Amino acid sequence: TVNLPATVDAWRRPEALRRIEAAGIFEYMDGAGELYLAYRFDHLDVVEYASPADGEILVELYWMRTSDDAYGLLSGDWGGEPVVLKEAVPPGGPRALYGAGLLRIWSGDLYARVMATRESEASRAAVLAIGHTMAAGRPDPPPPRLVTHLPQAAAALTLRPDSVCFLRSHLVLNSVYFVSQKDILNLGKNVEAVTARYGKARLLLVRYPNAGAGRTALERFRTTYLPEAGTGEGGAARIEDGWAGFRLSGRSLAVVFEAADREAARAKQQELVP
């Protein structure tokens, strides 16, 4: 649950929130609904604060199955000004980002958007006040475990925090780094993945439900994307933008794109999956 104030300065909201189930998300938004369904989305609550003189503030509460899914939605775009919504700052990077009248929040299993139709000092203060009230008393789980497993440096290159994205769908992966129109990595709701940049190179770590699912995914990826890499659970080959490589260990698959050379591709794989 979340606490929303009835009024904030000149803005007032109706008592009832509008609830939108997964089946109706495309009636509420065009196209963008795919993003939320790519994670384990449960339902959406919507309410609008109105002020006769200052425009509206739209509040969207996306309730996800887990905190990891809510984090994933925030991680798709780290742009904006980090905002602290609690006196005791929880670890794990920004939990809220503000920019151009829009506040985006990760708070446990909730991903929230609070957006003013007219940005001003007054609307900014009201948007942040709503965010503070929403976050108060809610738990602050850590980022997904897969994210915390990313090394801070790989093959002498430093992790770029603003490039970290937690995902479960090839559609989300393609939005940050295009691999294929088809799901050649067998991603899905029961799969966890995180991608990030180290210098120019892009690293992807995928954790499947079991080792068999990992082997099946590797075979599909290898035959479709890197047939020159040969057989086995590790390999590398040249691609259009440098070198790509892969390494499978149990149910974990590490993939490297745009490495400078074969040795760099192999070194980065081993940083993720020894």
Side-chain angles (χ1 to χ4, degrees):
T1 61
V2 66
N3 182 31
L4 287 175
T7 61
V8 181
D9 296 331
W11 284 266
R12 180 181 298 273
R13 70 169 176 88
E15 183 176 347
L17 277 64
R18 176 186 174 192
R19 178 166 174 151
I20 298 168
E21 304 292 345
I25 194 167
F26 291 109
E27 296 179 11
Y28 176 74
M29 63 180 73
D30 291 330
E34 290 284 2
L35 171 64
Y36 302 97
L37 297 179
Y39 293 92
R40 293 181 294 188
F41 171 75
D42 188 84
H43 70 277
L44 165 65
D45 290 323
V46 181
V47 70
E48 190 170 77
Y49 288 78
S51 166
D54 300 297
E56 292 76 39
I57 296 176
L58 176 66
V59 178
E60 297 176 328
L61 307 175
Y62 295 88
W63 295 100
M64 313 303 291
R65 298 291 183 184
T66 69
S67 175
D68 288 358
D69 297 293
Y71 171 93
L73 287 168
L74 183 65
S75 73
D77 180 3
W78 292 109
E81 168 196 350
V83 174
V84 176
L85 297 179
K86 292 184 174 181
E87 291 184 6
V89 180
R95 306 252 167 172
L97 298 161
Y98 178 88
L102 172 63
L103 176 66
R104 296 180 294 119
I105 303 170
W106 160 47
S107 177
D109 60 353
L110 171 67
Y111 172 72
R113 288 165 42 94
V114 185
M115 181 173 61
T117 56
R118 296 185 214 159
E119 187 181 20
S120 64
E121 288 299 320
S123 69
R124 174 190 167 96
V127 165
L128 295 180
I130 294 170
H132 279 282
T133 304
M134 286 193 330
R138 287 190 51 79
D140 295 304
R145 289 182 61 188
L146 212 57
V147 172
T148 64
H149 287 176
L150 286 173
Q152 291 303 303
L157 296 175
T158 303
L159 170 68
R160 290 170 46 182
D162 64 347
S163 69
V164 175
C165 180
F166 178 83
L167 55 101
R168 300 182 186 276
S169 164
H170 77 288
L171 298 175
V172 178
L173 175 59
N174 284 343
S175 71
V176 294
Y177 184 82
F178 183 81
V179 176
S180 171
Q181 291 184 346
K182 297 181 179 180
D183 183 15
I184 61 174
L185 283 159
N186 290 0
L187 301 177
K189 300 293 178 62
N190 62 344
V191 176
E192 299 177 343
V194 61
T195 182
R197 281 203 177 274
Y198 291 77
K200 183 183 177 183
R202 167 74 61 177
L203 274 66
L204 173 67
L205 179 60
V206 188
R207 184 162 294 163
Y208 294 95
N210 52 63
R215 288 192 298 271
T216 300
L218 171 58
E219 185 60 24
R220 183 178 186 188
F221 172 76
R222 179 173 49 205
T223 56
T224 304
Y225 194 87
L226 286 179
E228 301 88 353
T231 60
E233 296 189 340
R238 184 181 290 278
I239 58 173
E240 183 177 350
D241 298 316
W243 284 78
F246 57 84
R247 184 176 182 85
L248 179 70
S249 177
R251 63 191 184 105
S252 296
L253 173 64
V255 184
V256 182
F257 303 96
E258 298 188 22
D261 51 42
R262 183 189 297 271
E263 289 70 27
R266 287 176 171 170
K268 291 181 177 65
Q269 298 161 24
Q270 291 173 352
E271 291 281 354
L272 287 178
V273 179

